[in-house]
Amino acid sequence: FLSLSLQAKMSRPVQARRLEGIEKNIWVEFVKLAATYSTVNLGQGFPDFPPPDFLKEAFMRALSGENHMLHQYTRGFGHPPLVKILAQFFGKLLGRDLDPMTNVMVTVGAYQALFCCFQSFVDEGDEVIIIEPFFDCYEPMVKMAGGTPVFVQLRPKAPKDGKLMSSADWQLDPAELASKFSERTKAIVLNSPNNPLGKVFSRGELELIADLCVKHDVLCISDEVYEWLVYDGKEHIRIASLRGMWDRTVTIGSTGKTFSATGWKVGWTVGPNRLLQHLRTTHQNSVYHCATVAQEAVAQGFQRELELYGKPESYFIQLPKMLQQKRDWLVQRLDAVGMKPIVPEGTYFLVADISEFKSEVPDVPDSDEPYDSRFAKWMVKNKGLAAIPLSAFYCESHKNNYNHFIRFCFAKEEATLKAANDILQKWKREKTSP
Ligand code: PMP
């Protein structure tokens, strides 16, 4: 008995080497904090308003309609009606004929699309360039694939004439970017519009990246999940449409952001077959496919959007219009309380400078935890307002360079935004009164 129970307890290490150093995750911690304390949650990026009726109705029809085969497996690389409409839709946007079967693959959210890219393209010893601040999963995903992330920072420039800073003031230094490319570079990850800053990369910036990709024969993993959330008449430019880029780019999109339905977890990749054939191998051998009913509903959503493309009734016109108003309102409210906002050109995130609130949460010199992270935790616990520290979007060695900003998500109902504003106003009054 004794020897059996000894044997039952494993003594050899169970964790695979590829998990070393990536166990900690900011979202686990902050999602738990927001759930533990009664909070107004402007932290994690999801809308608290419903998706459009046409999408919900399409889901209900798919669920309860006569075609009971929609409850069964579908084609692994994407439900045929969805890949067909995505090929049509993105073919139109990219100005090229796309084959639904080889140029499009459906994934379990953009998240799995990213995972497939890193697993399919990155080998031990390969370097992958990541632009900071970055959507945090890029770094562990590159490491899990055996690659080495190489970071290059968007550097803020002070705005002119006391104006509020814009996400456009955060720019790449061309020489610094060029210095990161070498014969070891396999890919660069581009995220425009960028989470967390809301930066929409200009044509000039994209051409700079594209030229370096072509010169060094590097792949581009282009995370465009916020493609429709662009404000002030700015244009979202797809890097795959630039000269020399189609052949080396995988473009990633998501129903979560496109149709305000993050829980559906339907994402997609668009690109040349020479790249997508490898994504299919990883997809086939990991998740196989994503929920058929959800794919059917998203296909119908895109069908509607194709018919209404560019028209005022289009959701891709209405959603940014609605979000721009929310952005403007939050910018103005944050500015009024002294949490200096960086006005985002896109996405539903807004980064604000918390320096003026430093006296509230004193600095702890030599602490391992960046100041903004302690500040955000303190704010959830003491003020009931959740936001995400900007340092979470930097690699370990750069975290402390950008530790006085927090990110708010403004894809929220008016009541939620008002409740957040009430907290900030009250806080400001308490702060200034002796
Ligand atoms: N990329 C970026 C930049 C994101 O912000 C997110 C979601 N927060 C994703 C990818 C993941 O998208 P999905 O929910 O479709 O997996």
Side-chain angles (χ1 to χ4, degrees), residues 27 45 108-112 114 135 137-138 191 193-195 223-226 252-257 262-263 265-267 348-349 407:
W27 299 107
V108 181
Y111 225 93
Q112 194 230 336
L114 289 161
F135 179 49
C137 74
Y138 303 155
N191 174 215
N194 159 277
N195 173 10
D223 179 344
E224 302 184 20
V225 298
Y226 299 102
I252 296 174
S254 158
T255 295
K257 322 294 164 172
T262 57
K265 293 298 290 184
V266 177
Y348 45 46
F349 299 114
R407 189 200 74 175

Side-chain angles (χ1 to χ4, degrees), residues 356-401:
E356 273 196 39
F357 285 70
K358 269 202 151 170
S359 57
E360 299 286 299
V361 188
D363 221 344
V364 180
D366 303 327
S367 162
D368 276 348
E369 188 173 16
Y371 175 75
D372 59 348
S373 174
R374 266 183 292 118
F375 183 93
K377 284 181 191 165
W378 182 92
M379 191 168 80
V380 177
K381 291 180 192 163
N382 295 279
K383 300 290 169 187
L385 178 61
I388 305 293
L390 188 67
S391 60
F393 302 90
Y394 283 88
C395 72
E396 203 56 43
S397 54
H398 297 154
K399 274 187 194 315
N400 273 308
N401 300 354

Side-chain angles (χ1 to χ4, degrees), residues 69-128:
M69 291 313 285
L70 293 177
H71 294 277
Q72 306 306 328
Y73 291 132
T74 183
R75 178 175 167 268
F77 308 126
H79 187 48
L82 181 55
V83 287
K84 276 184 200 149
I85 191 72
L86 287 172
Q88 241 182 305
F89 200 95
F90 284 92
K92 183 177 160 131
L93 297 177
L94 289 164
R96 66 172 59 235
D97 279 340
L98 297 184
D99 172 20
M101 300 300 151
T102 58
N103 295 138
V104 181
M105 186 182 84
V106 176
T107 54
V108 181
Y111 225 93
Q112 194 230 336
L114 289 161
F115 187 77
C116 280
C117 285
F118 296 122
Q119 288 294 315
S120 308
F121 303 141
V122 179
D123 262 329
E124 299 273 336
D126 285 345
E127 291 184 356
V128 176

Side-chain angles (χ1 to χ4, degrees), residues 17 20 58 186 194 222 226 251 259 311 421:
R17 270 197 314 277
E20 273 166 24
K186 186 68 185 282
N194 159 277
S222 187
Y226 299 102
T251 303
F259 287 117
K311 302 216 171 93
N421 180 47

